[in-house]
Amino acid sequence: MKNFRINNLKSKQDYQKLLLELLTPLRGRYSEGRGRLTLAGAGACYPQEVIELEAFARPLWGLAPFWAGGGRDELFEE
């Protein structure tokens, strides 16, 4: 994320690029059907099933506005 310290997030495209950069580590952690997201070391006291569903849902807080603003990313759209 070095580039964003330099450009100070001046445009919509800067924010879209940052979102994808933040979400990149999630690639490859989705379940086979892509309806759950498995992350190691969750500190929550919920069943694993609930943790995976919540982990799936949280990136949507960024992805929904990203898509509404014209952003595109094949993996997250899939």
Side-chain angles (χ1 to χ4, degrees), residues 2-38:
K2 299 181 267 188
N3 297 336
F4 289 100
R5 291 189 189 127
I6 294 168
N7 82 16
N8 296 315
L9 300 171
K10 295 177 184 173
S11 69
K12 177 171 79 171
Q13 290 77 22
D14 292 339
Y15 281 94
Q16 289 176 330
K17 188 174 176 183
L18 176 60
L19 174 70
L20 292 179
E21 193 171 319
L22 290 170
L23 296 180
T24 293
L26 302 179
R27 296 177 189 268
R29 304 197 75 32
Y30 284 91
S31 65
E32 187 176 324
R34 303 215 192 271
R36 295 181 185 202
L37 185 60
T38 304

